[in-house]
Amino acid sequence: MNKLSTKEAQIIELPKILDDRGNLSVIEEYVNIPFKIKRTYLIYDVPGGEIRGGHAYKENQEFIIALSGSFDVILDDGKGKKVFSLNRSYYGLYVPKGFWRQMENFSTNSLALVLASTQYTPSDYIYDFELFLNM
Ligand code: TYD
């Protein structure tokens, strides 16, 4: 099995099985994403102009997909920001641990699927940007 191993924040394109009956894409842990999936959550019904996130994780890694609609994920590694626009269900953004991340520009009826490498752990969050820069 092809073990995907990366520590880089990056867009990962998923396999696409094209079919006249409708297309299919697959996500398998350690094959398409470099972590084991412990948790999955959805972000939806985001009012126009709202911003989600605005924090970093000490350990948690994520893979974020725009299942429908579109939104931007802004990542900051402490040295600079990068904007990733997500708008298709056949690719997603891998976010390694230790990145400040924010989600914004949600389109109407957008639906974000987030696969996470850890269970929900409040102590894993860093909410203070200055503290993040110092870590
Ligand atoms: P948070 O992670 O701060 O959301 P975002 O980064 O998108 O702004 O979580 C918002 C609330 O949801 C917070 O009260 C914690 C709760 N929550 C859970 O209970 N379990 C989870 O897996 C997540 C992601 C959040």
Side-chain angles (χ1 to χ4, degrees):
M1 194 180 286
N2 181 17
K3 267 209 160 198
L4 180 69
S5 155
T6 181
K7 291 205 164 64
E8 296 281 313
Q10 61 187 281
I11 296 284
I12 294 177
E13 187 142 354
L14 301 170
K16 218 176 174 188
I17 296 141
L18 302 176
D19 194 310
D20 291 341
R21 300 169 300 160
N23 300 333
L24 184 154
S25 286
V26 191
I27 307 167
E28 279 186 82
E29 53 196 24
Y30 297 129
V31 177
N32 315 101
I33 57 171
F35 60 85
K36 185 166 175 59
I37 303 160
K38 280 266 180 69
R39 178 166 54 108
T40 303
Y41 62 94
L42 302 168
I43 298 174
Y44 51 95
D45 291 347
V46 179
E50 281 298 338
I51 294 175
R52 304 283 322 201
H55 53 68
Y57 301 113
K58 293 178 208 160
E59 286 304 324
N60 188 42
Q61 306 166 62
E62 291 187 330
F63 186 64
I64 305 173
I65 307 169
L67 283 187
S68 83
S70 62
F71 52 85
D72 294 336
V73 184
I74 293 113
L75 296 185
D76 191 329
D77 62 359
K79 294 182 197 119
K81 281 186 190 177
K82 228 172 158 181
V83 180
F84 297 88
S85 294
L86 300 182
N87 53 26
R88 290 286 184 273
S89 47
Y90 55 82
Y91 63 78
L93 175 65
Y94 169 60
V95 185
K97 65 181 179 182
F99 275 78
W100 191 266
R101 79 133 174 84
Q102 195 162 297
M103 297 166 74
E104 58 184 52
N105 281 332
F106 287 89
S107 68
T108 306
N109 291 331
S110 57
L111 170 60
L113 171 70
V114 186
L115 309 179
S117 70
T118 65
Q119 289 182 311
Y120 175 63
T121 314
S123 61
D124 192 44
Y125 283 68
I126 304 164
Y127 287 109
D128 182 333
F129 191 67
E130 290 304 314
L131 181 67
F132 164 73
L133 291 178
N134 288 329
M135 286 172 84

